[in-house]
Amino acid sequence: MYIGAHLSAAGGIHTAVDRAEAIGAESLQLFTQSPRAWRPTNHDPANFARFRERRAEVGLHGVLCHALYLCNLAAPNDEVYEKSIAAMRSTMEVASAIGADAVVFHIGSHLGSGFEHALERVVPALEQVVELTTDETWLLMENAAGTGGTIGRSIDELATVFDRLDHHRRLGICLDSCHLYASGVDVTDLARLDALLDEVDATIGLDRLRALHVNDSATALGSNRDRHANIGEGLLGEGLGVFLANPRLQGLPAVIETDGPDGKGPDANELRKAKEIGARAIGG
């Protein structure tokens, strides 16, 4: 497992690699634009080449781009829907330009219209986005904590979207430890985690699991609330080691998305804590 962090790209997209190197990250996740504004960043193309050079120099084992939080591919509102597709397409284009391994995204929320109805919006939207993937840069659906009408709160929902996209060969998933816990999957219980991975293997395929988000949870099991806690400081605590040490999750980029000690994101100590919890679980 390649422990890394979601880091800022302020000052040029290539600077995210510098920040990853500074804290000893083995993988990296970044936004390609402001996560809370629709307007895409006008990147200097020279920075794309610089990003690839710096990644090779640092030796990062995985690079992920996270799509905007604003995106909702199930949105009933046509303006939001079209903006979401455009933003997703922009993120895919930038991710491909820097040689990222994948774009990770939240499918969105049906806002009360129901899952089946939402699929009629989600599927054609994703058909437009997935056409921009490459053998180098995949598209990964992230599991949801289950708040409100969010889509992807279960493996079954992710598998349904996967099926409707005809198992596109560059479509995969990213599993978030906090979201799993909030949606009712106790990732601190080895048998429960193994059952979940069995379900993934049977419906989507473990070969399509391409990335992980490693976060502690500030809210209870089954709360359906997406509230990350710093590593070792939430309700998962030392139990996060069950997730970190699972043999079927090794070899993947595992990105920490916590606030860190000062609210500015993960630091070297967050990475250290995750590695130590994982090592204790393996050794124990």
Side-chain angles (χ1 to χ4, degrees), residues 19-42:
R19 294 182 177 94
E21 182 180 37
I23 65 172
E26 299 169 337
S27 60
L28 166 66
Q29 182 176 275
L30 65 149
F31 291 120
T32 64
Q33 66 185 82
S34 170
R36 292 180 171 83
W38 289 115
R39 186 175 64 185
T41 298
N42 185 22

Side-chain angles (χ1 to χ4, degrees), residues 107-108 110 115 119 141 144 146 149-163 199 204:
I107 297 171
H110 58 68
F115 178 70
L119 286 176
M141 302 179 288
T150 50
I151 296 168
R153 66 181 65 202
S154 66
I155 299 304
D156 182 63
E157 287 193 355
L158 293 177
T160 298
V161 177
F162 183 68
D163 289 343
E199 184 183 2
I204 300 174

Side-chain angles (χ1 to χ4, degrees), residues 127-152:
E127 286 174 342
Q128 295 185 51
V129 180
V130 80
E131 70 178 11
L132 299 176
T133 60
T134 68
D135 288 340
E136 185 177 39
T137 307
W138 282 38
L139 182 63
L140 305 182
M141 302 179 288
E142 181 177 350
N143 67 298
T147 306
T150 50
I151 296 168

